[in-house]
Amino acid sequence: MNLRSWSLLAAACALGAQAPQTPPSDAQTAPSPAAYSGSVRDARGRLRELAEAAQHDEAAAFAERVFVAPAWSVAAEREQAEFWFAVGVARGAAQAYPQAADAAHAARGLSGSSELGLSSAYNAGAFRLAHAERLRQDIPQIRERLKLPPLAPSAQGVPQLGGAPQGPVGQETASDPIAVARGAYLAARADLIERWRAGPDADTCANLELVVRRLRELDELERQNEEQQNESSERENKDQKQDPQHQDKQDPNQQQDQQQNEEQKDEQDPKEQQDKPEDSEQEAK
């Protein structure tokens, strides 16, 4: 899963290395950062330096300063697209893949079908594919196959630039992990197909082939889970039929009705017993 390099971004604004992140929400940015006073072009270079130094929190804070800078509102769309592209690279370095894809989409929307736009479309798909690959590791069968330890009940979240989970812990793995991973792979496929339609290249084709293999794998895992559930239900039904006390356990009302019927029968039996001696005497006479 290759991504475009920093050198291409500097020379032709092609792309960087890994995944972007959109600016933090208002709830995460109080108080507001001081606006950056330099040009957007200079800001792009500074952001690259922070990302390459693995100063992810600093990179996130710096990007926020650029987004509120006076130079940002008057910058040409090309410069904004290039900066969004660099933001994506910084966020990718922090392995914040969903946010990286958002930044790549922003760059794509501002750069159209140019070289930068095509690279942005490719990166959006690559970032989402990287995110899907990580979600795939939340599937119990995959973890067992990869010899990874079982996940804690709520151990996952979407990492931010600094690597900390974003949002409630366990939010993304709360539902069926196979369904969650499938959704991520389908999202990656949509972005990669957009890039492929603009002119297929080897990296895009390779990533699409990987997505197809992963989706088939998920279908097979889902089929196996359904078979196991069916077998478990059949065994449970069979065990219930073989249990001699199952009927009483399952229907206590029926047991009570049976008891009442026996009591009523006992009340009628003495009369029948009283008649039997007379009948015997008559037969003796």
Side-chain angles (χ1 to χ4, degrees), residues 221-233:
L221 290 175
E222 200 167 51
R223 184 189 65 80
Q224 292 175 4
N225 287 345
E226 291 177 356
E227 288 182 354
Q228 291 176 358
Q229 290 176 359
N230 292 336
E231 291 175 1
S232 177
S233 298

Side-chain angles (χ1 to χ4, degrees), residues 136-137 140-149:
R136 173 177 173 266
Q137 295 184 9
Q141 297 95 318
I142 298 298
R143 296 192 69 81
E144 183 178 358
R145 185 186 307 170
L146 298 176
K147 301 185 187 304
L148 296 174

Side-chain angles (χ1 to χ4, degrees), residues 29-149:
T29 57
S32 299
Y36 175 68
S37 58
S39 68
V40 174
R41 183 180 298 273
D42 291 341
R44 191 175 72 239
R46 176 57 180 160
L47 183 64
R48 171 186 172 180
E49 293 174 0
L50 292 171
E52 289 182 340
Q55 297 179 6
H56 303 309
D57 291 336
E58 291 81 356
F62 179 75
E64 281 297 318
R65 293 178 57 200
V66 175
F67 288 129
V68 297
W72 177 258
S73 60
V74 297
E77 286 188 352
R78 176 74 181 187
E79 287 188 346
Q80 291 183 351
E82 291 170 2
F83 186 77
W84 271 115
F85 199 84
V87 169
V89 172
R91 291 166 181 175
Q95 298 183 358
Y97 299 121
Q99 294 83 1
D102 289 343
H105 284 146
R108 165 71 165 163
L110 291 168
S111 53
S113 58
S114 65
E115 182 181 1
L116 178 61
L118 295 180
S119 294
S120 299
Y122 170 82
N123 277 356
F127 294 145
R128 291 197 175 195
L129 179 54
H131 182 56
E133 288 286 275
R134 187 163 55 188
L135 291 175
R136 173 177 173 266
Q137 295 184 9
D138 292 342
I139 301 173
Q141 297 95 318
I142 298 298
R143 296 192 69 81
E144 183 178 358
R145 185 186 307 170
L146 298 176
K147 301 185 187 304
L148 296 174

Side-chain angles (χ1 to χ4, degrees), residues 6-24:
W6 278 107
S7 59
L8 287 176
L9 176 61
C13 300
L15 180 56
Q18 283 188 328
Q21 257 183 355
T22 49

